[in-house]
Amino acid sequence: MHDMDRTANLLGATALAVTDMALTNATKAAGVSASGAAALVVLAASPGLSVTELGRRVGLSQSAAARMVDSLEGEGLAERKQGVGRWVSVTPTVTGARTARTLLDARGTPLTEIIGVLDERDQEALAELLAKLLARLHSEVGNAQLMCRLCDRGACVHEGAVCPVGQAERDEQAHRDEQGARPGS
């Protein structure tokens, strides 16, 4: 019989070690905090977000997000732009966009090296298992943007692959829409 507790413990140790390595490399390469690194990646993928929305996507309150944007502005990595009315958008500067790419590369290199110990068949199996786990995690977290705040989105959908987190979000939305369309709901 399989020892599920041992597997869960191995997953926890692996997740923590991988997170520590990826975050350390990314933040060191970018010269910013973990939330600043995530903000740069999010802004590179979705420039023009409000401070509040940026904070939501990186897991910060509005006031903490405003302080983080202040810091990114001070470092020449992001800028606020006045929109219509009170709307203020945040965009990465050219340096900020370049820094986002640098930190994604710094995050991805050690992850690629770790996976390199597996043969191609095991890598494919791991990708399938991780997709299942991410879809399950989305049902708990409920926010694809937050889950993917440090993702290399291009790598996730390379060669026509489908992002498992994005797919889980679309599936959950379709289910909610279906539930709302049923008579008597």
Side-chain angles (χ1 to χ4, degrees):
M1 186 165 158
H2 178 75
D3 186 348
M4 189 183 243
D5 289 337
R6 180 175 187 274
T7 302
N9 190 56
L10 292 173
L11 174 62
T14 302
L16 185 58
V18 167
T19 298
D20 288 347
M21 184 185 325
L23 275 178
T24 298
N25 285 351
T27 56
K28 185 191 247 183
V32 296
S33 66
S35 59
L40 285 173
V41 171
V42 168
L43 288 172
S46 303
L49 297 174
S50 69
V51 173
T52 302
E53 179 60 17
L54 178 60
R56 188 185 73 75
R57 292 187 185 194
V58 299
L60 296 175
S61 67
Q62 196 281 333
S63 59
R67 288 189 302 275
M68 180 197 51
V69 170
D70 288 342
S71 176
L72 292 175
E73 276 188 308
E75 295 173 34
L77 300 171
E79 60 187 357
R80 288 178 172 96
K81 293 184 179 178
Q82 186 64 46
V84 177
R86 295 182 55 183
W87 178 266
V88 176
S89 65
V90 183
T91 59
T93 62
V94 171
T95 302
R98 190 173 31 249
T99 301
R101 184 72 252 159
T102 298
L103 73 86
L104 282 175
D105 291 343
R107 171 194 161 271
T109 299
L111 300 177
T112 301
E113 290 171 358
I114 291 168
I115 293 168
V117 303
L118 304 174
D119 64 30
E120 189 172 340
R121 191 181 90 245
D122 287 343
Q123 289 180 26
E124 289 173 7
L126 179 60
E128 288 180 33
L129 293 170
L130 291 171
K132 285 182 184 179
L133 292 174
L134 285 166
R136 171 62 176 84
L137 286 167
H138 181 269
S139 70
E140 293 292 320
V141 175
N143 182 338
Q145 296 295 335
L146 181 62
M147 286 182 66
C148 298
R149 66 189 177 274
L150 271 173
C151 283
D152 184 340
R153 291 157 196 253
C156 191
V157 297
H158 183 70
E159 295 183 1
V162 175
C163 171
V165 177
Q167 187 61 53
E169 188 162 76
R170 288 186 295 276
D171 291 347
E172 287 180 18
Q173 183 60 50
H175 179 73
R176 283 191 300 273
D177 292 347
E178 180 182 292
Q179 294 298 317
R182 287 190 179 161
S185 296

